[in-house]
Amino acid sequence: MNSRSIGVLPSVRERILETALDEFYECGFHGATMRNIANKAGCSAANVYNHFENKSELLVEILRRASDEQFTATRNALRKAGADPAERWRMAVVAHSLYTAQNPRACLVANTELRYLDTLNRKRVVGSRDAQEQLFVDIAENAVASGVFDVSRVHQAVTAVLTMCSGIPLWFRADGPLSAQQVADDYGRYALNLVGYHPN
Amino acid sequence: MNSRSIGVLPSVRERILETALDEFYECGFHGATMRNIANKAGCSAANVYNHFENKSELLVEILRRASDEQFTATRNALRKAGADPAERWRMAVVAHSLYTAQNPRACLVANTELRYLDTLNRKRVVGSRDAQEQLFVDIAENAVASGVFDVSRVHQAVTAVLTMCSGIPLWFRADGPLSAQQVADDYGRYALNLVGYHPN
């Protein structure tokens, strides 16, 4: 019987994932060990291997989840955004930034450790990130077509904006002078400016 | 006698630094080993330890050099920039981006591996980065005071711009369709837009 089918185990799985995120954050992908993750999660290494084949599998699961959650946050924001292309762009960036500010460890690990995955595993994560990126590209292209954005290489501008947002965990502190929402709003304004927004 | 005083050795030191950068880039700080660095540099581990006390010392030297060189590139550009505050900002960002596009490995390692240094060693690197950041803050504050930039939290905007530039090595390829200079020019435009530039 596969252990995953036992009702009580999902919480162990969650605890392993949370512990692994801390371990990747503190030691990096190469410094992290399955043994340390097991110790800190309060279970045996065998138990960790029961849930995840290896370290890559753990990192893939953490990064895919974070990326999917961030994508969902952005799409939820877009459902409330109405039809104005510039406002859709701004609200998408605000939602993306807000998620980043509120989930700093997962977003930081995604930026620093992704490149250590082998090609196949990297592709499993990158697929979800590419879909997010494409959503931003589509919104920006709409706004360019509407004549309210003035930017020539849309994909490059989207990359610049998403990279800018990904840096928030490097300095933002939840107990600092600004709230995550204030920072996200500022970044939404930066993103609107960056693409040469000018109302018709 | 200190081996560093022997005339022929600087090139060994340089080779160790170059090899270590490759090793940090490929394996991360925690995955890199002094033995692998020695092997790949074609010298003994004892020789590496003769030049660098430990792995941290190597990473500090690589990151400080890159940061100092980037700072120099920016200041050189500013010497040619004249007095216009917006043009100074644009040219500083272009020079900073150009260095990043032309030195992708060192800039990427700086972003991903700096946080693994202990506090003291991190401070040795961060001092140089802080000085760079302050230069951008000074230029932007001048432009705000001149009434050509419209941005409220200058330091945060500078951080956003420098993070955006630091992402260039994640996608830029020297043999791709755009030159490093074209990308740097685009990023200069983004940075000018981001801070709400409007000529008087």
Side-chain angles (χ1 to χ4, degrees), chain A residues 187 190, chain B residues 89 132-141 151 153-165 194-195:
Chain A
Y187 274 64
Y190 298 156
Chain B
W89 170 255
Q132 277 201 73
E133 199 166 292
Q134 191 55 50
L135 178 66
F136 283 91
V137 169
D138 290 346
I139 299 170
E141 279 179 346
V151 65
R153 282 184 269 273
V154 170
H155 204 286
Q156 182 181 277
V158 165
T159 302
V161 166
L162 295 184
T163 310
M164 168 184 95
C165 298
L194 189 146
V195 291

Side-chain angles (χ1 to χ4, degrees), chain B residues 20-190:
Chain B
L21 173 56
D22 289 343
E23 177 82 356
F24 289 136
Y25 178 80
E26 279 157 31
C27 308
F29 178 68
H30 282 290
T33 68
M34 293 292 261
R35 199 176 51 218
N36 281 349
I37 293 167
N39 283 346
K40 291 177 188 169
C43 63
S44 67
N47 209 339
V48 175
Y49 281 110
N50 206 17
H51 290 278
F52 302 97
E53 202 179 317
N54 51 36
K55 223 165 52 168
S56 296
E57 201 64 33
L58 261 169
L59 184 57
V60 166
E61 179 64 14
I62 289 169
L63 299 191
R64 282 172 70 168
R65 273 195 190 197
S67 183
D68 288 347
E69 282 177 15
Q70 191 168 36
F71 197 11
T72 301
T74 305
R75 282 180 301 190
N76 285 344
L78 283 172
R79 271 201 286 275
K80 299 176 201 153
D84 179 65
E87 185 58 7
R88 288 179 69 76
W89 170 255
R90 195 191 65 79
M91 284 185 73
V93 173
V94 169
H96 186 86
S97 305
L98 188 61
Y99 181 89
T100 308
Q102 290 172 336
N103 297 273
R105 293 197 157 211
C107 294
L108 205 60
V109 166
N111 291 329
T112 60
E113 308 310 317
L114 176 67
R115 67 198 180 88
Y116 300 126
L117 287 175
D118 60 41
T119 311
L120 186 69
N121 278 315
R122 202 161 53 232
K123 277 191 179 160
R124 292 168 66 199
V125 179
V126 163
S128 170
R129 290 163 69 117
D130 283 354
Q132 277 201 73
E133 199 166 292
Q134 191 55 50
L135 178 66
F136 283 91
V137 169
D138 290 346
I139 299 170
E141 279 179 346
N142 254 334
V144 169
S146 310
V148 292
F149 285 6
D150 178 20
V151 65
S152 53
R153 282 184 269 273
V154 170
H155 204 286
Q156 182 181 277
V158 165
T159 302
V161 166
L162 295 184
T163 310
M164 168 184 95
C165 298
S166 75
I168 293 172
L170 294 171
W171 60 270
F172 175 71
R173 296 289 167 266
D175 58 356
L178 296 175
S179 69
Q181 187 66 55
Q182 282 176 305
V183 170
D185 287 341
D186 283 349
Y187 274 65
R189 164 55 56 185
Y190 299 156

Side-chain angles (χ1 to χ4, degrees), chain A residues 124-142:
Chain A
R124 292 167 66 199
V125 179
V126 163
S128 170
R129 290 163 69 117
D130 283 354
Q132 276 201 73
E133 198 166 293
Q134 191 55 50
L135 178 66
F136 282 92
V137 168
D138 290 346
I139 300 169
E141 279 178 346
N142 254 334

Side-chain angles (χ1 to χ4, degrees), chain A:
Chain A
M1 189 174 76
N2 187 315
S3 63
R4 281 164 224 192
S5 60
I6 300 173
V8 71
L9 278 178
S11 71
V12 175
R13 188 179 157 85
E14 289 308 307
R15 205 165 69 236
I16 293 169
L17 282 168
E18 278 169 34
T19 311
L21 173 56
D22 289 343
E23 177 81 356
F24 289 136
Y25 178 80
E26 278 156 31
C27 309
F29 178 68
H30 282 291
T33 69
M34 292 292 260
R35 200 175 49 218
N36 281 349
I37 292 167
N39 283 346
K40 291 178 187 167
C43 63
S44 68
N47 209 340
V48 174
Y49 282 110
N50 205 17
H51 290 277
F52 301 96
E53 203 179 316
N54 52 37
K55 222 164 53 168
S56 297
E57 202 63 34
L58 261 169
L59 184 57
V60 166
E61 179 65 15
I62 289 169
L63 300 191
R64 282 173 67 170
R65 271 197 192 196
S67 183
D68 287 348
E69 282 177 13
Q70 190 168 38
F71 197 11
T72 301
T74 305
R75 282 182 301 190
N76 285 344
L78 284 172
R79 270 201 287 275
K80 301 177 199 152
D84 179 65
E87 185 58 6
R88 288 178 70 77
W89 169 256
R90 194 190 66 79
M91 283 186 74
V93 173
V94 170
H96 186 87
S97 304
L98 188 61
Y99 182 89
T100 308
Q102 289 172 336
N103 298 273
R105 294 199 155 210
C107 294
L108 204 60
V109 166
N111 290 329
T112 60
E113 308 310 318
L114 176 66
R115 67 196 180 90
Y116 300 125
L117 288 175
D118 60 42
T119 311
L120 187 69
N121 278 315
R122 201 160 54 233
K123 277 190 179 162
R124 292 167 66 199
V125 179
V126 163
S128 170
R129 290 163 69 117
D130 283 354
Q132 276 201 73
E133 198 166 293
Q134 191 55 50
L135 178 66
F136 282 92
V137 168
D138 290 346
I139 300 169
E141 279 178 346
N142 254 334
V144 169
S146 310
V148 292
F149 285 5
D150 177 19
V151 65
S152 53
R153 282 184 271 272
V154 169
H155 204 287
Q156 181 182 277
V158 165
T159 302
V161 166
L162 296 183
T163 311
M164 168 184 95
C165 298
S166 75
I168 293 173
L170 294 171
W171 61 269
F172 175 71
R173 296 291 167 263
D175 57 356
L178 296 175
S179 69
Q181 187 65 55
Q182 282 176 305
V183 170
D185 287 341
D186 282 350
Y187 274 64
R189 165 55 55 184
Y190 298 156
L192 208 47
N193 287 346
L194 189 147
V195 291
Y197 169 61
H198 53 97
N200 270 333

